[in-house]
Amino acid sequence: MLSTSARLLRLVSLLAVRPAWTCGELAERMEVTERTVRRDVARLRELGYTVDSDPGPWGGYRLRPGTRTPPLILDDEEALAVAVGLREAALSGALGGDQAALSALLKLRQVLPKRLGDRLGDMDAAFVQTPRAGEPQVAAGTLLELAAACRRGERARMAYLDWGGRASVRDVDPYRLVHTGRRWYFVARDVARGEWRTFRADRVERVQPTGRAVEFTEPLPDPALLVSRASATGPYAVLATVRLPVPMEQALRSIPATVGLHRADGPDATVVEIGGSSAEGLARYLVSLATPLRVLAPDAVRRALLHRVHELLEDNVEEMDRPVPDAPPRKRS
């Protein structure tokens, strides 16, 4: 037999999941008498819950829209389902570039009983996410460690592999996680350098708290802007500056903020800095945009772009000059 308080929580939970219940349905679900249901509804009203009722044999009870409800109550399977859903939302970035899904998953894991935490850990180890082409895979455990580091507000020691594959251990003051739609970035202040840095989450090997509290001083940086600048400008072998004769909003649709660093050049033009591994690679990318543009610098990218355009022109001229084979005679029916 459930205690009165547990029964009341159960009753509110049932009222919250359906528009209306008859007294008999509630009695059957709660395994009590209809008289007990009526007494419990009266207690809920005394506690401030607005429970409406309709008279008659087909009448019933319902929570009035906007009524506050108690903390969410989940059984074991429901809790696992929510945790797995939050993990997948975090890994895919389905909720956008912030860390709402990670924060919610972190809170949920902290209150899960050990038996459920162990099951969820087993599922994390068994599941493998298939990233999109060219994208690295980030373990759910790594993202949770980074999210926890951001929430704790204390200095951490991080083992990291840079873009050249060199391993390093550095002290950082964690700040935010940012998802760009392609990958996760960890934004933190590098203690040794005394500057804000962005780190790719898939290159973080380990994060350990040091126990030293950190208080950030204003003004704090915009983490999304830091990631955009870092993604657009380095580390690349070649940096190009191009001018698009379109407003900033339209230029961002052609070249995303994670690819180039934009600045307005008057109301109707935008200058964008783009990085690449080679002048030829940048030229191919610029041609693929299929939009008017002018390369301001460097000359190597400008020459590569002209060479690429001439190649395309020559290929199409040759195709136009090629004789068209005679069409086969049509058969008469």
Side-chain angles (χ1 to χ4, degrees):
M1 177 70 72
L2 292 174
S3 65
T4 301
S5 57
R7 202 171 61 242
L8 292 178
L9 286 173
R10 173 65 172 159
L11 177 57
V12 175
S13 178
L14 289 172
L15 290 172
V17 299
R18 259 177 55 174
W21 294 83
T22 66
C23 188
E25 289 173 332
L26 289 172
E28 182 180 355
R29 290 294 294 268
M30 298 176 63
E31 298 181 348
V32 296
T33 64
E34 293 188 14
R35 182 179 178 184
T36 299
V37 170
R38 288 190 287 270
R39 285 202 306 263
D40 287 347
V41 168
R43 290 190 180 98
L44 288 180
R45 288 168 174 162
E46 292 174 358
L47 293 172
Y49 291 93
T50 307
V51 183
D52 294 330
S53 59
D54 297 319
W58 303 109
Y61 298 104
R62 64 180 180 275
L63 277 178
R64 185 176 299 174
T67 300
R68 60 184 176 88
T69 58
L72 187 63
I73 303 172
L74 301 173
D75 61 27
D76 287 5
E77 298 305 318
E78 289 172 335
L80 280 174
V82 171
V84 171
L86 288 171
R87 187 200 62 167
E88 293 306 306
L91 288 173
S92 65
L95 300 180
D98 60 14
Q99 51 191 34
L102 279 176
S103 179
L105 179 56
L106 192 62
K107 292 176 181 178
L108 181 60
R109 283 202 168 193
Q110 289 174 339
V111 298
L112 285 178
K114 185 177 184 302
R115 65 181 185 280
L116 293 185
D118 291 343
R119 287 182 63 185
L120 189 58
D122 293 340
M123 295 172 73
D124 283 343
F127 287 163
V128 175
Q129 181 201 21
T130 303
R132 285 175 289 183
E135 293 183 16
Q137 182 171 330
V138 184
T142 299
L143 285 178
L144 285 176
E145 287 182 8
L146 294 174
C150 293
R151 289 189 59 197
R152 275 193 296 263
E154 65 182 56
R155 186 160 294 171
R157 185 152 294 154
M158 179 180 68
Y160 186 73
L161 292 176
D162 66 12
W163 64 274
R166 294 180 293 269
S168 64
V169 177
R170 61 189 81 190
D171 287 348
V172 295
D173 295 336
Y175 182 46
R176 289 290 188 273
L177 276 171
V178 177
H179 191 266
T180 65
R182 297 179 58 217
R183 55 173 65 100
W184 281 96
Y185 288 87
F186 176 48
V187 178
R189 185 171 59 190
D190 190 310
V191 176
R193 298 188 180 188
E195 60 185 25
W196 291 98
R197 300 287 306 279
T198 61
F199 305 94
R200 276 179 40 176
D202 58 287
R203 293 176 180 164
V204 176
E205 295 189 315
R206 186 178 64 259
V207 177
Q208 294 179 335
T210 63
R212 178 175 177 178
V214 173
E215 291 187 8
F216 295 121
T217 57
E218 301 288 347
L220 293 173
D222 181 338
L225 183 58
L226 281 178
V227 170
S228 294
R229 286 176 175 171
S231 301
T233 59
Y236 292 111
V238 181
L239 289 177
T241 304
V242 300
R243 185 180 186 274
L244 280 65
V246 295
M248 175 80 76
E249 182 179 353
Q250 188 174 341
L252 284 167
R253 288 198 292 268
S254 297
I255 305 176
T258 53
V259 174
L261 188 60
H262 300 63
R263 69 174 184 272
D265 186 19
D268 300 319
T270 307
V271 173
V272 188
E273 293 182 31
I274 310 173
S277 58
S278 66
E280 291 73 19
L282 279 173
R284 287 193 296 271
Y285 173 74
L286 294 175
V287 169
S288 71
L289 296 177
T291 186
L293 57 86
R294 180 158 56 94
V295 177
L296 301 180
D299 289 340
V301 174
R302 188 182 299 111
R303 287 193 297 268
L305 178 63
L306 291 173
H307 180 70
R308 180 60 179 158
V309 171
H310 288 156
E311 282 185 336
L312 291 172
L313 180 61
E314 291 173 0
D315 289 344
N316 284 277
V317 168
E318 290 176 1
E319 193 67 26
M320 291 178 64
D321 292 339
R322 186 174 302 169
V324 179
D326 295 335
R330 296 178 59 184
K331 295 181 179 180
R332 294 185 180 182
S333 57

